Amino acid sequence: MSEVKFYCKDQQVPLEMHKVRVVQKLFLPTVEERVAKMNAAGNNTFLLQNKDVFMDMLTDSGVNAMSDNQMAAMMQADDSYAGSETCNRLLKSLEDVFGTKYFLPAHQGRACENILAEAFVRPGDVIPMNFHFTTTKAHITRLGGRVEELVCLSGLDPRNTDPFKGNFDIPRLEALIKEVGPEHIPFVRIEAGTNLIGGQPLSLENMLQVAALCKQYGILSVLDASLLQDNLYFIKVREAACKDMTIREITRKLADAMDLIYFSARKLGFARGGGIISNNEKLILKMKEFIPLFEGFLTYGGMEVRSMEAIAVGLQETMDEEIICQGPIFIEQLVKELDAYGVPMILPAGGLGAHINASEFLEGMPHDQYPAGALAAALYIAGGIRGMERGTISEQRNEDGTERYAELELLRLACPRRVFTLSQIKYCADRVKWLYDNRKLIGGLKWEDEPAVLRFFFGRLKPLGDWQEKLAAKFRADFGDSL
Ligand code: F0G
């Protein structure tokens, strides 16, 4: 696969390798309505109604476009509680892609995390990972475990253009294992396409090194493959040693090295659902009983059979080198255009979406005025675009009630796969640029209603002062009657 193949030759414009056959009409409220709706939603983009959103860039989870082949497969789902042919087809597809024999189905990624934590985490345990994900950490700490993040230094440096910023710092991992003792480390979690630092990939070499170190110390290696798809693409185009390998070969080499793999099929495979796979029967037996308890019978695990058919086909599409590039090259287009304009972006472009460094965009705004949340509110006002705060609001307070400031204050603009056209991506860039020109008008937020747990989902905030009205007035002055 050559990187250039799926771009227009002259302009490096990314090319959709699909055509649109089903559409959904969008609606763009006026800027005055957007101010009102943002406030009705407590300045929290999770609380907006989707009908009021023009570009939904909240997440890539469960909103990727399905293919005609996936839809066709869904029609032949074998609707049975136990022993469905659908489950057999999914097993076969998983074995074909990952080479694994065993599969425990679960309703989504965090359900897998719950089961892994129940089976392996005990109070006082330490779970090293390149970086945490919100739900992963919640399940581990709920059971008295502790998360240690060991991402390489460049991972937390927004402007560092290291191609694999999700890599583990291997010497730090080994030092931690020696310090804590392998008996207190039930597993090391490797998160492909590291979500919270901007969808940054790990190299195949790094993941294999982590797995080898785990083996050396008798610790389990667990791959979170939810964001593996984009990571595979980056391995192929950025890791010199892998450029002549197929995506299937890379996937197999990686899977062979891991003890356990789990995934959210809301991301991997353009579908819904999730599961845990392995070739180690003993490990599977340790978790098996939790499936009927928390999820559903062993051949559906809380998933609809139709979703399972969609995963079986979607996984095969994930191995298609003309499809796998579709997320990353459109994200790259957005990042490149904004970076060229001077907007502080997380570089290099990663998977999942484009990530704006809100601390730098709103230079001088303190963490406790929530710059990433303020920027998310401002972008909805500027363009009806719904992004996601990935900063201090997404953290949980310390036990003494003080704020735990996020290492990075990010506004994430997810690009669900095969969903947006290039003109929509350009619209998004256009509104972010306008906002950047007017960034001095953006003010902070304060809590109005702050839940003790998962505050980023349910919490409500208020603007500090009348900056949102002023921003809307400037929009009117600049855009006239236009939406
Ligand atoms: N692991 C990673 C790396 C994820 O990004 C997610 C979800 C999960 C696990 C949990 O999977 O949602 O199916 O339960 N990320 C979503 C997001 C929520 O918007 O980034 P899930």
Side-chain angles (χ1 to χ4, degrees):
M1 176 172 65
S2 106
E3 204 180 349
V4 176
K5 193 168 155 198
F6 309 112
Y7 290 85
C8 296
K9 199 162 178 237
D10 301 340
Q11 300 162 303
Q12 286 281 297
V13 169
L15 200 57
E16 290 90 349
M17 297 300 287
H18 49 260
K19 64 178 179 180
V20 178
R21 293 171 63 198
V22 178
V23 295
Q24 177 181 359
K25 179 152 184 353
L26 294 173
F27 171 66
L28 179 56
T30 65
V31 69
E32 293 76 17
E33 286 167 337
R34 298 198 291 264
V35 172
K37 287 179 190 301
M38 193 72 259
N39 281 284
N43 284 278
N44 180 347
T45 55
F46 277 101
L47 301 182
L48 282 167
Q49 297 299 306
N50 201 32
K51 69 175 173 51
D52 300 327
V53 171
F54 181 65
M55 276 182 83
D56 188 10
M57 306 183 89
L58 186 72
T59 179
D60 65 334
S61 170
V63 287
N64 299 295
M66 285 206 198
S67 68
D68 46 1
N69 288 327
Q70 283 180 292
M71 298 280 212
M74 288 167 86
M75 296 307 288
Q76 48 159 14
D78 182 21
D79 238 333
S80 61
Y81 189 91
S84 75
E85 268 311 296
T86 293
C87 188
N88 292 336
R89 281 194 279 270
L90 178 51
L91 265 168
K92 214 167 143 217
S93 185
L94 285 163
E95 184 167 5
D96 178 54
V97 169
F98 295 103
T100 48
K101 280 207 286 286
Y102 303 104
F103 168 52
L104 297 175
H107 77 274
Q108 63 184 91
R110 67 200 68 183
C112 306
E113 291 168 344
N114 175 39
I115 286 156
L116 280 162
E118 288 285 342
F120 298 108
V121 178
R122 300 288 167 262
D125 281 351
V126 175
I127 290 80
M129 50 190 73
N130 42 343
F131 211 73
H132 81 280
F133 184 69
T134 49
T135 53
T136 329
K137 188 171 176 178
H139 282 298
I140 289 168
T141 51
R142 178 175 70 76
L143 291 164
R146 180 162 62 86
V147 164
E148 279 285 342
E149 291 169 331
L150 298 166
V151 74
C152 60
L153 278 179
S154 64
L156 298 175
D157 176 358
R159 293 227 177 245
N160 191 314
T161 54
D162 197 346
F164 292 108
K165 286 164 75 171
N167 273 355
F168 272 81
D169 183 331
I170 304 275
R172 270 172 66 213
L173 174 59
E174 184 155 26
L176 179 77
I177 295 172
K178 285 183 176 152
E179 182 197 321
V180 178
E183 66 281 11
H184 299 298
I185 303 181
F187 60 86
V188 173
R189 173 176 170 275
I190 300 147
E191 184 184 309
T194 330
N195 189 329
L196 294 188
I197 62 165
Q200 297 294 323
L202 296 86
S203 67
L204 178 64
E205 185 189 19
N206 188 265
M207 292 195 264
L208 296 180
Q209 280 171 350
V210 173
L213 203 61
C214 286
K215 227 165 227 105
Q216 184 188 332
Y217 285 95
I219 299 170
L220 297 178
S221 51
V222 175
L223 174 69
D224 178 348
S226 307
L227 290 169
L228 182 63
Q229 172 170 338
D230 299 339
N231 202 133
L232 288 169
Y233 168 80
F234 290 125
I235 288 174
K236 172 87 187 175
V237 298
R238 293 182 186 173
E239 192 166 348
C242 300
K243 78 176 191 335
D244 296 325
M245 290 169 79
T246 64
I247 294 291
R248 277 187 188 274
E249 285 165 350
I250 297 169
T251 307
R252 207 40 108 69
K253 188 141 195 190
L254 179 59
D256 284 350
M258 298 292 156
D259 291 307
L260 289 166
I261 300 174
Y262 76 93
F263 59 92
S264 166
R266 299 175 63 82
K267 293 175 184 259
L268 184 72
F270 313 95
R272 314 278 187 277
I276 306 173
I277 51 177
S278 178
N279 266 326
N280 186 326
E281 192 180 7
K282 251 169 74 186
L283 294 177
I284 290 290
L285 285 175
K286 262 191 107 163
M287 293 179 282
K288 197 170 169 176
E289 68 195 50
F290 294 119
I291 302 291
L293 202 59
F294 294 135
E295 299 298 311
F297 188 67
L298 280 169
T299 52
Y300 76 94
M303 278 184 279
E304 242 200 48
V305 275
R306 272 175 285 281
S307 294
M308 295 169 74
E309 293 282 0
I311 302 173
V313 175
L315 280 174
Q316 298 297 327
E317 292 178 4
T318 296
M319 295 293 106
D320 181 330
E321 309 199 350
E322 293 187 7
I323 292 178
I324 200 167
C325 63
Q326 292 292 298
I329 62 177
F330 283 83
I331 294 166
E332 186 189 26
Q333 174 75 25
L334 183 56
V335 171
K336 255 184 5 201
E337 204 169 321
L338 291 174
D339 178 49
Y341 198 72
V343 178
M345 304 302 294
I346 298 294
L347 299 172
L352 200 168
H355 294 74
I356 302 176
N357 181 1
S359 309
E360 209 182 318
F361 197 109
L362 301 177
E363 210 182 337
M365 183 182 289
H367 286 283
D368 54 11
Q369 290 185 16
Y370 311 113
L375 189 56
L379 185 58
Y380 175 73
I381 292 168
I385 297 165
R386 160 154 78 168
M388 189 191 285
E389 195 270 2
R390 297 271 77 162
T392 295
I393 296 175
S394 297
E395 294 283 336
Q396 199 150 321
R397 282 186 189 267
N398 297 312
E399 275 176 17
D400 65 2
T402 55
E403 274 290 11
R404 185 197 304 249
Y405 297 139
E407 306 218 44
L408 295 172
E409 295 282 357
L410 304 183
L411 172 61
R412 177 177 97 177
L413 302 176
C415 298
R417 296 161 191 91
R418 309 191 286 205
V419 169
F420 296 129
T421 60
L422 184 59
S423 49
Q424 287 169 330
I425 294 284
K426 285 197 158 291
Y427 166 85
C428 173
D430 189 64
R431 294 296 161 107
V432 174
K433 288 181 199 169
W434 178 82
L435 208 50
Y436 189 61
D437 291 340
N438 291 284
R439 60 192 181 278
K440 294 276 184 296
L441 292 175
I442 303 173
L445 299 174
K446 66 174 180 206
W447 287 105
E448 187 182 24
D449 174 16
E450 184 186 351
V453 286
L454 296 175
R455 62 183 189 171
F456 63 96
F457 278 143
F458 319 118
R460 301 180 64 83
L461 298 104
K462 279 204 308 212
L464 289 163
D466 62 352
W467 64 265
Q468 298 187 336
E469 285 72 18
K470 287 188 176 138
L471 188 68
K474 180 67 170 32
F475 181 93
R476 252 310 143 242
D478 290 353
F479 286 81
D481 286 342
S482 158
L483 294 172

